[in-house]
Amino acid sequence: MNRDLTVGRPGAVLCRFCLPLFGSVIFQQLYNIADSLIAGKFVGENALAAVGNSYEITLIFLAFAFGCNIGCSVVVSRFFGAKEYDRMKTAVYTAMIASVVLCAILMIVGILSCGGLLRLIRTPEEVMADSRLYLDIYIWGLPFLFFYNISNGIFSALGDSRTPFLFLAASSTANIAVDILFVTVFRMGVAGVAWATFLCQGVSCVLAVAVVLRRLAKIPVQGRVRCFSGRVLRQLAAIAVPSILQQSFISVGNIIIQGVINGFGTGVMAGYSAGVKLNNLVITSFTTLGNGISNYTAQNMGAGKPERVRQGFSAGLRLVWAVCLPLALLYFLGGEWLLRLFMDQPTAAAVRTGVLYLRILSPFYFVVSAKLTADGILRGAGLMRAFMVSTFTDLALRVALAAVLSRTVLGSAGIWCSWPIGWSCGTMLSLLFYRRGPWNFGREVPEQTAGSRE
């Protein structure tokens, strides 16, 4: 199941590798979409608002899991491409041990601070109890979230995108069935939605970790394999920490924006909650394809083939735009129909909000997909400073403009207008940094994810 991404035509290699990743992200998003869909249909609009409100806080925890995924994936890809299998295994074990510590800290912080975060974003009293209940259950499932993401990162680093797809397809389908069972038969309300995700992700995590360890055991090594390496941990952190910061600040920015949205009432909250699920499906798809391009870049840099990076960027851009076109048209023309899947007897304000949100954002999916493709190259090559600059520029503009424009005659529509502006500025920076990359001038990329042997 392992695949060498350093040989073959880049377009064909990326297509074979990234298409299962695209399928995986669809099933991954079904977890959150199923929660909102079933809460809105079978519990009510307040339940939909509560799940959507909690979702912005869960993104903080997802940011840390995603950062660990990316850090492990890029470093393991680099060692796998260089055929340094002993260091590759050391990186895997080091990442797992570090994740145990980080996860324990986050669980303690989450249990103590989630109530305060809900109050900070001005959660309405009518959805406060359900939001808190959903978050409490979610936090106890963080170990499953972390180790499932680590396992996915390892699979991708080894060039295997099919195994994560199969796990996600099975677990997401089961999640929908258990969601419906807990909510409609056992009448557990929002708690049933949270417990369904907890159980299904837990089973997936255990199976994924078992397969990873079995896969690693079959790879022969020449040198010594360590259970933990401080040097490798620093290499992991060089990629993981900026990725965590990026996702964390995006999550904090989304929480600030959620606080602005909450000031417009539950109708706008519910419409945004449904709309943002659909938007996140698209953005996460682009991000996941970008992660695949990161693995491709890291393997080729590890193998000393930087010339394939340029070819990979062109092929990756064609791939994400092929995905982008039908989704942008669907959201722009059929947004109302899609939104009504999430809401039973929605208010006019909720439908109007969701439709406007999608129609403002969907034409700019071509822009943000180009940014995420370039970001994948930068991250895979370890050029994290450039990656961070473009990301924070995008985020800072979106948060600042959301707060400013929402106070104008545009009202809540001003919030949605901040997304395209931030995306456009961030994209220009990402493309500029990519064009200045050493692969365009025949230079070597500074090695940031590999070091001398201990």
Side-chain angles (χ1 to χ4, degrees):
M1 299 293 289
N2 303 338
R3 179 176 296 160
D4 190 343
L5 305 179
T6 66
V7 295
R9 288 192 305 109
V13 168
L14 275 173
C15 189
R16 286 195 300 268
F17 180 62
C18 287
L19 284 182
L21 291 178
F22 178 64
S24 296
V25 78
I26 292 175
F27 283 105
Q28 178 67 58
Q29 287 299 303
L30 279 179
Y31 272 108
N32 292 321
I33 289 177
D35 288 352
S36 293
L37 181 63
I38 292 168
K41 281 288 186 181
F42 297 110
V43 186
E45 192 169 286
N46 281 354
L48 173 61
V51 172
N53 191 56
S54 303
Y55 178 69
E56 299 301 342
I57 295 177
T58 66
L59 288 178
I60 296 177
F61 301 112
L62 280 168
F64 282 86
F66 175 80
C68 292
N69 173 311
I70 291 298
C72 181
S73 184
V74 169
V75 174
V76 172
S77 290
R78 178 72 67 97
F79 291 145
F80 183 72
K83 307 297 189 291
E84 297 179 6
Y85 299 132
D86 53 336
R87 302 178 75 193
M88 180 190 75
K89 291 187 178 184
T90 296
V92 170
Y93 302 143
T94 300
M96 287 186 170
I97 292 171
S99 294
V100 169
V101 177
L102 179 59
C103 185
I105 295 171
L106 288 175
M107 289 181 71
I108 294 171
V109 172
I111 291 169
L112 296 177
S113 65
C114 274
L117 284 173
L118 288 171
R119 287 188 290 272
L120 183 65
I121 63 174
R122 299 188 293 173
T123 302
E125 203 58 43
E126 60 266 31
V127 300
M128 174 64 83
D130 280 344
S131 295
R132 180 60 190 266
L133 178 60
Y134 184 91
L135 283 175
D136 284 343
I137 298 170
Y138 181 90
I139 289 168
W140 286 106
L142 285 183
F144 298 142
L145 175 70
F146 265 74
F147 280 90
Y148 182 77
N149 272 275
I150 288 288
S151 299
N152 274 359
I154 296 167
F155 285 131
S156 296
L158 300 178
D160 177 13
S161 54
R162 182 170 175 266
T163 300
F165 169 74
L166 295 176
F167 276 127
L168 272 170
S171 62
S172 297
T173 304
N175 181 60
I176 294 172
V178 178
D179 261 341
I180 295 173
L181 176 68
F182 283 1
V183 171
T184 62
V185 177
F186 297 153
R187 303 291 181 185
M188 295 173 65
V190 170
V193 172
W195 279 116
T197 300
F198 178 96
L199 292 174
C200 293
Q201 196 163 58
V203 173
S204 298
C205 171
V206 172
L207 293 175
V209 170
V211 172
V212 161
L213 294 178
R214 183 179 178 184
R215 184 82 57 83
L216 290 174
K218 294 181 178 180
I219 299 177
V221 297
Q222 298 296 325
R224 177 185 177 189
V225 178
R226 297 172 177 266
C227 290
F228 183 85
S229 166
R231 184 184 297 275
V232 171
L233 179 61
R234 289 191 294 273
Q235 295 164 12
L236 290 165
I239 304 296
V241 171
S243 297
I244 290 172
L245 288 175
Q246 175 220 12
Q247 291 296 312
S248 296
F249 280 109
I250 287 175
S251 299
V252 170
N254 287 338
I255 288 175
I256 295 172
I257 292 173
Q258 182 72 51
V260 177
I261 292 167
N262 289 353
F264 288 90
T266 56
V268 172
M269 286 177 64
Y272 170 73
S273 177
V276 79
K277 297 293 185 185
L278 294 168
N279 179 65
N280 284 341
L281 174 60
V282 174
I283 300 304
T284 306
S285 299
F286 296 155
T287 301
T288 302
L289 293 175
N291 294 344
I293 294 169
S294 288
N295 293 127
Y296 167 88
T297 301
Q299 278 201 24
N300 281 283
M301 298 313 303
K305 298 180 178 180
E307 70 280 356
R308 288 174 58 86
V309 172
R310 293 192 306 274
Q311 300 168 337
F313 176 75
S314 299
L317 199 57
R318 289 194 297 271
L319 180 62
V320 295
W321 279 351
V323 171
C324 179
L325 180 60
L327 290 173
L329 288 173
L330 177 64
Y331 281 18
F332 191 85
L333 300 175
E336 181 173 349
W337 178 79
L338 293 171
L339 289 164
R340 289 184 181 275
L341 293 175
F342 291 85
M343 297 179 280
D344 185 32
Q345 298 180 337
T347 62
V351 174
R352 186 171 59 249
T353 295
V355 169
L356 182 61
Y357 174 81
L358 292 177
R359 286 186 174 172
I360 290 174
L361 268 62
S362 56
F364 289 87
Y365 287 157
F366 295 95
V367 174
V368 72
S369 62
K371 177 187 187 303
L372 293 172
T373 301
D375 286 349
I377 298 286
L378 297 173
R379 188 169 50 218
L383 302 178
M384 299 305 292
R385 182 178 300 176
F387 168 74
M388 293 287 284
V389 168
S390 66
T391 297
F392 282 125
T393 300
D394 167 19
L395 176 63
L397 283 173
R398 275 192 281 149
V399 173
L401 289 173
V404 172
L405 295 178
S406 65
R407 298 175 184 174
T408 67
V409 68
L410 293 172
S412 61
I415 305 173
W416 323 142
C417 291
S418 67
W419 262 268
I421 298 172
W423 286 348
S424 299
C425 294
T427 299
M428 288 189 290
L429 286 173
S430 290
L431 293 176
L432 176 64
F433 290 133
Y434 164 75
R435 290 190 61 81
R436 290 182 175 179
W439 43 79
N440 288 314
F441 301 99
R443 301 196 306 267
E444 290 292 327
V445 177
E447 188 174 2
Q448 297 184 22
T449 56
S452 59
R453 289 185 177 272
E454 295 183 90

